[in-house]
Amino acid sequence: MKFLVICGVTVTLLVTFVEGLVSSDVAPESFVINGANRTDSPHHVLVEFFNAQQLGFFGGGSIITSTHILTAAQNVHGFVLWRVGYGSHFRDQLTWMYSNSAFAHHQYAPQTRNNDIAMIVLPIPLVFTTHVRPIALPPSDFLMPYENEQGTIKGFGFTSAGVNQPSDTLRYGYVRVQADAFCLSIFHIVAPNHFCASDNRVPVNICNGDIGGGFTVHYRGEETLVGINSILIENCYIQWPSAYTRVTHYLSWIHLVIGV
C-alpha cells in the first residue's frame, strides 16, 4: 500500500511574512520529530521562498560554495524570491540575504518529486567563518549513502503538536537508509534518484519546514552531503520513512551549475 504525501511538502508552512502572520492546515506531531538541538552545522541554512503573490513558505538548504545553496526543487519551482538565513543554530540570530536567482533541475517532476534538486545563487559571496562553512559533496564513484548506513537529518521545522511555529533552534536526528524495495513499496519514487530512511529504535523524522535541508553522513572523517530532504508521509508519522534526493546521482548537474 502506498501512502499519500503532502503536496508541495514545502506546503511546509504557509506564511504571510510581510504581516508576520503564520497559518497552516497541517497538524504536526513533534518535529524534526523527536530531534535534539543542533549546534554544529555551519553549512545548514534556512530558506524562505515567495511566490508572485508574495505568499511565503520555508524549508532548508546547504551551503556548497560561497555563492551556492543546494536545496530541493520544490523550494524553487514556481517561486520568484528567496531569503537565506545562515550563520547560527538559533533562528533569531541568523544573518539574512535575499536572492532572485535560483535554478531547479530541468527535469524536475512536481507530481512525483523526481529530480527534486535545485540551486539558489547568492548575489554576494558568503564570508566563511567557524559558523558559516560549505559542506563536502560525496565522491562520484560511490552511490552513497549505502543501505543501513546511518545519516543525520536536520531543520528548523515544527517541533510539537498543535504549534504552528517553526523551531527556534536547529534540530537534528539520526535515521538509517532502507532497502530500495521497501522505499518503492511506500513512495512513488525512482531509484536511485531517491532513497528513503527511518529509525524504528529511536523514531525521528523530518517534517514541514525541513524540506530542502541536508541528509549527511561522515565519509573519511568529514561530514558529507549525500541527500536532500524531499518527500514526507502525510502527517509526518515517525513510524514511516521519508525520502531523500540522492546527491551522488546529480553531481554532474551540480558541477555544471556552479561552473566547476
Side-chain angles (χ1 to χ4, degrees):
M1 177 178 181
K2 296 185 186 296
F3 288 78
L4 295 175
V5 298
I6 299 174
C7 287
V9 152
T10 42
V11 243
T12 36
L13 178 67
L14 177 59
V15 185
T16 307
F17 288 109
V18 291
E19 298 179 3
L21 299 177
V22 177
S23 64
S24 174
D25 293 328
V26 180
E29 314 183 326
S30 179
F31 313 130
V32 158
I33 308 179
N34 289 342
N37 291 339
R38 183 84 179 186
T39 60
D40 59 346
S41 293
H43 58 273
H44 185 85
V45 300
L46 177 62
V47 178
E48 296 175 351
F49 41 103
F50 304 83
N51 61 22
Q53 291 72 44
Q54 297 185 335
L55 291 177
F57 306 78
F58 78 94
S62 299
I63 300 169
I64 61 169
T65 80
S66 61
T67 55
H68 294 94
I69 307 298
L70 194 64
T71 188
Q74 55 193 289
N75 293 355
V76 168
H77 182 75
F79 296 96
V80 298
L81 182 67
W82 297 266
R83 191 168 82 127
V84 176
Y86 60 92
S88 179
H89 56 278
F90 293 112
R91 190 184 182 94
D92 62 0
Q93 295 179 19
L94 292 169
T95 300
W96 294 93
M97 186 185 300
Y98 281 95
S99 172
N100 60 7
S101 179
F103 304 91
H105 192 280
H106 59 286
Q107 292 182 318
Y108 171 57
Q111 297 299 321
T112 63
R113 304 289 185 266
N114 194 27
N115 304 308
D116 189 13
I117 188 170
M119 196 78 70
I120 299 170
V121 182
L122 301 177
I124 302 171
L126 298 172
V127 176
F128 293 150
T129 67
T130 303
H131 304 294
V132 181
R133 290 202 308 270
I135 189 167
L137 295 175
S140 60
D141 49 349
F142 298 107
L143 196 62
M144 299 174 67
Y146 307 118
E147 185 178 330
N148 201 42
E149 185 171 10
Q150 179 176 275
T152 304
I153 54 175
K154 59 188 72 70
F156 283 98
F158 293 159
T159 58
S160 62
V163 176
N164 289 341
Q165 292 286 349
S167 175
D168 292 331
T169 59
L170 184 64
R171 308 278 288 179
Y172 78 101
Y174 300 111
V175 290
R176 288 192 177 275
V177 178
Q178 303 298 315
D180 283 347
F182 175 65
C183 301
L184 293 170
S185 72
I186 298 173
F187 298 106
H188 294 281
I189 59 174
V190 177
N193 302 21
H194 275 95
F195 64 91
C196 76
S198 60
D199 194 328
N200 293 326
R201 295 177 305 168
V202 183
V204 297
N205 210 344
I206 57 172
C207 200
N208 302 312
D210 296 325
I211 292 299
F215 180 107
T216 63
V217 301
H218 276 82
Y219 175 70
R220 294 187 174 178
E222 184 174 32
E223 190 171 14
T224 302
L225 181 68
V226 297
I228 299 172
N229 305 345
S230 178
I231 305 176
L232 311 172
I233 291 291
E234 188 175 10
N235 294 325
C236 313
Y237 293 123
I238 58 177
Q239 295 88 353
W240 294 95
S242 292
Y244 305 83
T245 301
R246 192 186 301 269
V247 172
T248 305
H249 193 70
Y250 297 95
L251 287 175
S252 296
W253 179 85
I254 291 171
H255 291 305
L256 179 65
V257 172
I258 67 178
V260 176

